Amino acid sequence: MGLLSVIIPAYNEEKNIDRTSKKISDLLVKNNINYEILFINDGSKDETWVEILKACDRDENIQGINFSRNFGKESAIFAGLESSRGDCCAVIDCDLQHPPEKLVEMYSLWKQGYEVVEGVKKSRGKEGNLYKGFSKLFYKIISSLSGIDMHNASDYKLLDRKAVNVLINIKEKHLFFRALSSWIGFKSIQIYYDVNDREIGETKWTPIKLIKYAISNITSFSTAPMQVVTIFGVLFLIFSIGLGIQSLYYNFIGKAKEGFTTVIMLLLIIGSIIMISLGIIGYYISKIYEEIKGRPNYIISNIVNKK
Ligand code: UDP
Ligand code: MG
């Protein structure tokens, strides 16, 4: 009773698979927790899949899912949730930056009846200042836009089967696990953990990837950027009415100003705002297009040790 599925997305983590799987299974065996581990190989370019196969050979509680190419961590998480059989499922990083010991605490909270146990970062480990500032800004925006407090949220979570079933039945193509798992509600509790430093391998994030990630998640949780367009429109309408009245007035009393600079400035400002606005609208349209095409979020090429 009480099977725990541990879902581990892995992208270029060849050196971490063995270490992480042993550490987690030892921990769970020691605490008498019935478990399965699901490694999702997200189209790694190194020997990650070979390592996963070795782990599957060693321990039949380990399952390997191999993507046909890289689909991103979110897709890997959802593939894991879909393949899992556990009465509860935990998602954890492959690099042991999420302290595995917390799994035991999460599991016992689940036993006490909590349906969503969210890991919240107490400290963020080694990160550059720029990165820290950027992620703070991102979470500030997304928290205020989505109405969910996301400060220091992470993907380290444990979900009851009920919550998992809700998540895997969401039809949306663009999935943001971290926010969706709060958005669904249920009886939740937060636990705090310190982020460990990554010991082996390196982070998969580049600044460009992070910016894309931020924009895409903000727009999938909120249409506020489109409303900004409307606000700009209204502001400029008010401004133009004032300016229009002034120009007409000068015209009638026969001392129309030359005002060439004003004209150029207005053209430039309005032109750029219109272009930015079109860009924002275009972004949303492209999202609708993506959703409508209905392509799968991931493609699995093979599964090992599937129960
Ligand atoms: N990951 C993945 N697909 C990707 C990028 C990352 O499955 O395209 C996995 C990665 O193997 C790791 C987790 O997501 O288990 C977190 O990645 P990383 O450590 O690079 O992120 P960070 O901890 O620096 O935020
Ligand atoms: Mg990491």
Side-chain angles (χ1 to χ4, degrees), residues 8-13 40 42 70-74 76 92-95 97-98 121 127 131 178 198 202-205 209:
I8 314 180
Y11 176 56
N12 294 348
E13 305 277 9
I40 299 93
D42 186 11
N70 181 258
F71 282 94
K73 184 181 179 188
E74 306 287 324
I92 185 169
D93 278 1
C94 196
D95 51 12
Q97 279 191 288
H98 296 158
K121 293 174 193 159
E127 273 173 0
Y131 180 85
R178 207 169 283 199
R198 185 186 252 277
E202 54 199 27
T203 175
K204 309 297 176 301
W205 293 105
K209 259 192 174 174

